[in-house]
Amino acid sequence: MTAIALAEVPPVPGADPENDLALLFAAGEEGGLEAVYRRWAPLVLSLARQSLGDGAEAEDVTQTVFLAAWRGRGGYSPCRGSLPAWLVGITRRKIADALSARTRRTDVAAAAAARESTRSPDPSYAQDAVLDRVDVTRALHRLPEAQRRVLCLAFYGDLTQTQIAHVTGWPLGTVKSHARRGLLRMERSLVGTRAGERPDERSA
């Protein structure tokens, strides 16, 4: 038997509890995700904390890793490698995504600060700032209740998505979905407002 043929021999059920978990997970059996999460979430969380240095962000990444693994379980084969090694690979990609998102947020904040520092003390700017806050408040009130609650907890409560999930009792994926859809709705609403719903105030 060749080395390749040996590598393709699937693990024997019952021979190793971790192999049994991997088989359960790969088959999409009920309880597979929960069992795998209990077994390897500490490993994923530890890696995320070491790389990100932020407990809440590491928890968000950990949730994302296992959701991505479950959705993509069709791409995992127990005979090609261990499940924890596959999870570590996903973890590294999600950590890289989180670091990239952090960099983008930092760049946006720095650019906004730079713009603010170069603005002249024009009285009309103060008026525009007040109008912008009014626009944001109106856009929030136009959102469905769930989306509005998530964004208000994030903006005004300064809560992470994991914390919002704990406060609301909703799954983290639901919180992320409400946040994403709410932000898209607000963006469209604000763009529409500034494109022509209040021309007299902007041109005054």
Side-chain angles (χ1 to χ4, degrees):
M1 186 178 292
T2 65
I4 293 178
L6 284 172
E8 292 298 325
V9 174
V12 178
D16 184 333
E18 291 194 354
N19 282 340
D20 290 347
L21 268 182
L23 291 170
L24 186 72
F25 179 87
E29 295 290 341
E30 183 178 358
L33 176 59
E34 182 181 356
V36 167
Y37 182 87
R38 285 199 308 266
R39 175 65 183 83
W40 285 295
L43 169 65
V44 172
L45 182 60
S46 175
L47 290 172
R49 277 179 174 162
Q50 289 173 13
S51 299
L52 299 171
D54 183 286
E57 194 172 8
E59 290 177 4
D60 285 343
V61 166
T62 299
Q63 297 285 343
T64 302
V65 166
F66 283 94
L67 287 174
W70 183 247
R71 290 168 181 161
R73 63 188 180 278
Y76 169 68
S77 175
C79 62
R80 294 178 183 172
S82 70
L83 182 57
W86 187 66
L87 291 172
V88 167
I90 297 175
T91 302
R92 288 172 176 161
R93 291 193 294 274
K94 296 303 180 183
I95 288 172
D97 291 344
L99 290 172
S100 295
R102 182 187 292 178
T103 299
R104 289 194 298 272
R105 290 195 299 269
T106 301
D107 290 345
V108 168
R115 287 196 300 271
E116 292 297 323
S117 66
T118 57
R119 286 183 182 272
S120 59
D122 186 346
S124 64
Y125 168 66
Q127 180 183 7
D128 283 346
V130 172
L131 293 175
D132 287 341
R133 287 195 293 272
V134 171
D135 286 344
V136 169
T137 301
R138 287 175 177 170
L140 272 172
H141 283 296
R142 293 189 189 109
L143 297 177
E145 182 180 354
Q147 295 174 11
R148 181 170 65 250
R149 186 179 182 191
V150 168
L151 292 182
C152 284
L153 287 171
F155 292 157
Y156 304 125
D158 198 24
L159 300 183
T160 67
Q161 291 181 334
T162 298
Q163 291 169 331
I164 293 172
H166 288 317
V167 168
T168 60
W170 296 333
L172 182 61
T174 300
V175 171
K176 290 179 181 290
S177 177
H178 285 324
R180 181 175 64 255
R181 292 174 181 173
L183 287 172
L184 287 173
R185 282 174 177 261
M186 283 190 65
E187 181 180 13
R188 288 194 295 267
S189 178
L190 290 171
V191 168
T193 298
R194 289 162 186 173
E197 291 180 13
R198 205 182 57 219
D200 55 328
E201 294 176 356
R202 287 293 178 181
S203 59

